[in-house]
Amino acid sequence: MNLKQLKKYFLISLSLASLLTINAFAEGERDFQITVNTKEIPLNNNVGMPFVEYDRTFVPIRVVSENLGYKVDWNQDKKLVTINGNKKVELVVGETSAKVQGKKVAIDSTGKVASVLKNNRTYVPLRFVSEQMGAKVDYKQTPKLHIINITKDGVQVAQNDAPEGYLRPGETKDDVLKRAKAKYTEGNAPGKVSDKWIDPDLRTLYIDPFSNDVGMQLPFGFVTMNKDRFKGKDPNKYWVQIEIDDDRYLPYDQHFEKAVGENQWGSLTADDIAPLSKKYPLDNGGRIIAPFTFFDYSKLSGTLLRTKGYSRVVAPYHGDVIDYKATIHQDGEEHVYKFKVRYGRVMTDYTLNKYVPKDQREYQKNVFEKTNFYLPEANSSSRRLPLNWTQEK
């Protein structure tokens, strides 16, 4: 090879190397854009940022699944993600397979790619979403973007059927009725545990957030129905502490943020979180104790909150169950219980006629009636026993 040919070869090699470097740089610099049925999903470090690895595009399974209409639960001890909707999907972080409707399937066609835990978010290859969750995925690239469009039949229909937060996207009325009527054992704390113990009759009090006489815009709280048995007892010795015990909301500061100025948001402080572990006298005079504060926009909260990664607080859906923990203290004796509460709120004619569009009133009234959450009179409330009481201590 003469000198002239050597120079030409060197220049070609240099050009190719530069091109590869530029392409690699561009690949790393591309942002992601994800839409579900034309709704763009906010992507940030809180909800999870997609990434490319093993020549696969990985997406945060929770944010995609929830916007497809699935409910996502996380078991920290088992590193298990359970996704419930039209299908039940179970996957353990780090494994190359998952269970779909109880049947073992590969996460990826190669059988070698596993789900990944990154910054406390679980990621799966994009293809898993399309093949196992009934969604159609359209994927393309521009010099600046990875553009991912995900569509699933029924999502838009459900959003038109009822306001957001009432039906999970993609659900039918039968779906929400089935969830809201799922069987759980009702009951109070499991009876007398010592000679001096008084079994408190704790109930979940459901109200209409837009029509109630307690002055709070919240769906439910708790009351002690047999408060007279605690009348005159020292509130420092006879108290109850009711706390959310659900990893969809805990730790609070990882799920919520508060307004600190016009269009400015900041982290929750210890002082913000402290009221959520407040101790209430068992002789509460029939007042609401331990309200579901995160979904109250009245003066009780003292601030405006939102779920991280969203422009609002993302409430549970009608019929969802929320895990709670109750610590009950009576004159030095203390016991801890766990129980569940079905999420819902009372619908009155006031709210039905003032806030629900005319073309949805009959539909919504029918669902609230069938789930026993419809009470026509303003300021109506419903008291129900918590679900699945178990004694932990």
Side-chain angles (χ1 to χ4, degrees), residues 57-326:
T57 298
F58 283 76
V59 293
I61 189 64
R62 179 181 287 275
V63 68
V64 173
S65 298
E66 289 181 343
N67 281 281
L68 281 172
Y70 289 79
K71 177 178 180 289
V72 181
D73 291 312
W74 167 251
N75 185 310
Q76 175 66 30
D77 294 335
K78 298 180 180 179
K79 296 293 187 289
L80 171 68
V81 180
T82 303
I83 305 164
N84 282 292
N86 296 331
K87 291 182 178 181
K88 182 178 181 180
V89 180
E90 298 171 284
L91 59 91
V92 176
V93 170
E95 293 190 358
T96 57
S97 63
K99 285 185 179 179
V100 179
Q101 297 292 82
K103 183 179 179 181
K104 188 176 180 180
V105 299
I107 295 287
D108 181 77
S109 58
T110 65
K112 298 178 180 180
V113 178
S115 54
V116 177
L117 188 66
K118 187 176 181 179
N119 296 327
N120 295 318
R121 296 289 180 264
T122 303
Y123 291 80
V124 295
L126 181 59
R127 185 177 294 276
F128 182 81
V129 174
S130 62
E131 292 183 348
Q132 305 301 337
M133 302 180 69
K136 179 183 177 183
V137 177
D138 178 43
Y139 180 84
K140 61 182 179 181
Q141 296 182 23
T142 71
K144 294 185 178 181
L145 280 176
H146 296 276
I147 301 174
I148 302 169
N149 293 315
I150 303 172
T151 55
K152 179 172 179 281
D153 291 341
V155 174
Q156 291 298 93
V157 173
Q159 288 176 341
N160 290 333
D161 278 347
E164 189 174 13
Y166 176 64
L167 286 180
R168 186 172 283 112
E171 286 188 321
T172 66
K173 181 168 69 175
D174 288 340
D175 291 329
V176 73
L177 291 177
K178 182 180 179 180
R179 180 173 68 246
K181 289 185 173 183
K183 296 296 183 182
Y184 292 90
T185 303
E186 289 190 332
N188 269 334
K192 196 173 184 67
V193 291
S194 71
D195 291 339
K196 65 178 182 179
W197 187 260
I198 303 171
D199 190 20
D201 184 6
L202 282 170
R203 305 282 179 105
T204 307
L205 176 68
Y206 293 96
I207 60 178
D208 183 340
F210 307 102
S211 169
N212 64 73
D213 52 11
V214 299
M216 293 184 287
Q217 189 179 339
L218 47 80
F220 65 82
F222 302 92
V223 294
T224 307
M225 297 300 293
N226 60 343
K227 61 184 184 300
D228 289 345
R229 296 197 64 186
F230 300 97
K231 192 172 183 179
K233 301 284 188 184
D234 185 344
N236 295 312
K237 294 182 178 181
Y238 289 81
W239 51 262
V240 58
Q241 181 185 50
I242 301 178
E243 304 168 273
I244 294 176
D245 190 41
D246 197 307
D247 65 9
R248 289 172 293 176
Y249 313 106
L250 297 174
Y252 294 123
D253 56 354
Q254 290 185 17
H255 289 268
F256 299 93
E257 57 189 359
K258 65 177 182 178
V260 294
E262 187 69 27
N263 296 319
Q264 294 180 316
W265 298 86
S267 300
L268 297 181
T269 65
D271 289 340
D272 296 321
I273 297 171
L276 302 173
S277 300
K278 183 178 177 181
K279 297 173 183 177
Y280 291 83
L282 284 165
D283 174 20
N284 62 81
R287 295 184 298 274
I288 287 181
I289 59 177
F292 197 20
T293 310
F294 280 128
F295 301 96
D296 166 36
Y297 292 91
S298 72
K299 292 180 180 178
L300 179 74
S301 300
T303 185
L304 182 65
L305 299 168
R306 73 177 185 183
T307 301
K308 287 186 175 181
Y310 294 83
S311 59
R312 58 185 172 79
V313 170
V314 180
Y317 293 90
H318 191 67
D320 277 348
V321 292
I322 303 167
D323 293 320
Y324 272 88
K325 179 177 74 173

Side-chain angles (χ1 to χ4, degrees), residues 156-167 173 345 347 351-353 355-368:
Q156 291 298 93
V157 173
Q159 288 176 341
N160 290 333
D161 278 347
E164 189 174 13
Y166 176 64
L167 286 180
K173 181 168 69 175
R345 62 178 177 83
M347 172 67 81
T351 295
L352 194 68
N353 294 323
Y355 294 104
V356 179
K358 286 184 179 180
D359 61 346
Q360 293 181 21
R361 287 175 189 169
E362 183 178 352
Y363 173 86
Q364 289 204 34
K365 181 180 177 181
N366 182 255
V367 172
F368 276 93

